[in-house]
Amino acid sequence: MRAVAVFPGPRVVKVIEQEAPRITEPDQVMLRMLDIGICGTDKEICSFEYGTPPPGDDHLVIGHESVAEVVGVGSAVERLRAGDLVVSSVRRPCPHPGCLACRSGHQDYCYTGDFSERGIKEAHGYMAEYVVDRERYMNLVPPGLREIAVLAEPLTIAEKALAQIFWMMQNRPPWLDPQARAGEQGRGLSALVLGIGPVGLLGAMTLATAGFSTYVYSRELPPNPRIDLVDAIGATYVSSQATTFPELAERMGNIDLIYEAVGHSHFALRALPVLGTNGIFVLTGVPGLQAFVETDPASTMRNLVLKNQVLLGTVNAGTDAFAAALRDLDAFRQRWPAAVGTLIAGRFPAEQAPELILGRPTGIKSVITFDTSA
Ligand SMILES: [Zn+2]
Ligand SMILES: [Zn+2]
């Protein structure tokens, strides 16, 4: 079978032929991979800045944003059967008995850093025709979401963050309604998304669905299909080339939430001073090492204290976030069918993966497909 692999030694990214895996344990499932999304993490891995092959291997099969069809199950598998569609979670627990996060099934909060991640760190990924995995890491996908389920994994970033934001909002300013129904948690509040990549756009859709008055701020100027998508979901796009952070804050009023999805430390730091009273600043981007900048830690500290602010970092996601992502994808699809259709730029064969990953992104999300029936 074919797989897309990166070889850090000779610094090569290519399609390889390898033997298809087999079920060897009773809790395993055999997956026929359908779609695998490409993201910035893949680009970093294929530029040899990030990513580690499994111990003893000279290569890493990439791919972590997946949707697959179950084609075989081990004797102890209970929830799944052949024909089911699944999205796999990516991170696998560390082996340490003392890691309370991993031992309780919350490896996204792992203390030790010795977790593995399929397609990223010490475990092969999903950009292959067939994959064997364990039932417990599979998230069942309703058949109606087949076309967009590949977006579930990148959407979990926003879902994990929002679950914590809602919890904090419902437990902090005491006048907010703790019983607010889905779609109303953000009513009367404003949210600013930094960045217009897939994580930012999916974050904006999630915030708009939760009822926030949502702004998206990035460098790009119109015309741009990503800006069209912001318009289509009823959010407001503002370009950093035309409007400064203070001007933006003036326009938005109290900024209750900033959702950072650019991974650029200077840009994120420049946004901190406009975070509003009782505001929450969520960081999701992982910046590469960037030039040192002078900052003003005193005013940052003053604001955090005097305005009851929260600075929150979040990485990876657990089972609840996958369930929420699949629920929200269905909500997006019903609410904005045309816009959701534009999220996936195209489906391409595995042979095109290296150039798609390393080239300039064309649409919003490029997808590698092994589904010959599509
Ligand atoms: Zn990704
Ligand atoms: Zn751990």
Side-chain angles (χ1 to χ4, degrees):
M1 66 162 198
R2 289 169 302 145
V4 180
V6 43
F7 293 75
R11 296 172 76 92
V12 170
V13 185
K14 64 178 179 184
V15 176
I16 58 171
E17 270 297 331
Q18 60 178 26
E19 212 172 303
R22 284 179 312 143
I23 290 178
T24 55
E25 312 257 347
D27 67 335
Q28 288 177 332
V29 292
M30 170 77 105
L31 306 175
R32 180 172 77 91
M33 302 313 299
L34 302 175
D35 290 343
I36 300 94
I38 290 173
C39 78
T41 302
D42 298 307
K43 189 170 191 141
E44 284 176 14
I45 295 170
C46 292
S47 312
F48 313 100
E49 292 166 21
Y50 198 65
T52 322
D57 267 352
D58 62 350
H59 68 282
L60 172 73
V61 175
I62 60 170
H64 59 275
E65 304 179 358
S66 68
V67 54
E69 180 192 357
V70 175
V71 290
V73 295
S75 56
V77 170
E78 290 178 344
R79 279 190 306 125
L80 299 171
R81 53 185 169 177
D84 283 345
L85 293 179
V86 291
V87 167
S88 306
S89 63
V90 175
R91 191 179 282 192
R92 302 291 178 265
C94 78
H96 303 289
C99 181
L100 296 179
C102 288
R103 298 292 71 78
S104 64
H106 296 93
Q107 48 269 21
D108 50 321
Y109 289 96
C110 177
Y111 283 101
T112 69
D114 291 337
F115 54 80
S116 58
E117 287 173 328
R118 293 205 69 154
I120 302 172
K121 180 176 181 282
E122 295 167 11
H124 289 308
Y126 298 105
M127 210 175 280
E129 285 178 84
Y130 292 93
V131 168
V132 164
D133 209 336
R134 295 191 190 276
E135 180 189 23
R136 78 183 78 120
Y137 303 121
M138 300 299 109
N139 303 280
L140 185 65
V141 175
L145 292 181
R146 158 70 186 89
E147 289 303 309
I148 52 171
V150 70
L151 299 168
E153 197 279 339
L155 178 56
T156 59
I157 299 166
E159 298 291 355
K160 179 182 172 187
L162 283 184
Q164 296 175 70
I165 290 162
F166 293 151
W167 181 87
M168 272 190 278
M169 286 189 343
Q170 286 164 354
N171 290 279
R172 279 179 5 116
W175 58 89
L176 290 179
D177 176 10
Q179 314 297 343
R181 287 184 300 137
E184 296 184 357
Q185 300 102 321
R187 180 150 298 177
L189 299 171
S190 68
L192 172 62
V193 174
L194 303 180
I196 200 176
V199 174
L201 289 171
L202 289 167
M205 292 171 102
T206 315
L207 290 163
T209 300
F212 285 87
S213 159
T214 305
Y215 284 70
V216 179
Y217 188 66
S218 194
R219 264 187 66 76
E220 292 76 359
L221 288 165
N224 184 307
R226 298 180 184 215
I227 298 173
D228 296 341
L229 193 134
V230 174
D231 294 340
I233 62 165
T236 306
Y237 181 76
V238 180
S239 170
S240 63
Q241 295 193 57
T243 306
T244 65
F245 271 119
E247 288 163 357
L248 178 65
E250 182 120 349
R251 191 165 154 193
M252 286 182 66
N254 194 63
I255 301 178
D256 300 291
L257 174 66
I258 298 181
Y259 182 82
E260 180 276 332
V262 277
H264 194 283
S265 55
H266 301 183
F267 194 58
L269 279 175
R270 290 212 330 270
L272 252 179
V274 301
L275 181 65
T277 300
N278 307 325
I280 303 174
F281 195 121
V282 184
L283 295 153
T284 76
V286 183
L289 293 177
Q290 287 159 358
F292 182 83
V293 276
E294 290 277 336
T295 60
D296 178 6
S299 64
T300 303
M301 250 177 94
R302 283 174 62 88
N303 274 346
L304 281 165
V305 172
L306 297 175
K307 295 183 177 176
N308 299 302
Q309 291 173 337
V310 177
L311 195 52
L312 174 76
T314 177
V315 70
N316 200 268
T319 311
D320 292 353
F322 276 90
L326 289 164
R327 259 197 321 272
D328 263 349
L329 278 181
D330 200 31
F332 298 171
R333 184 182 60 137
Q334 292 183 34
R335 192 165 168 189
W336 306 299
V340 166
T342 66
L343 279 166
I344 293 177
R347 287 184 163 79
F348 305 91
E351 287 66 26
Q352 286 186 36
E355 57 177 286
L356 282 167
I357 293 168
L358 292 165
R360 272 188 70 77
T362 43
I364 296 173
K365 171 70 76 182
S366 291
V367 171
I368 298 300
T369 188
F370 288 101
D371 188 7
T372 44
S373 67

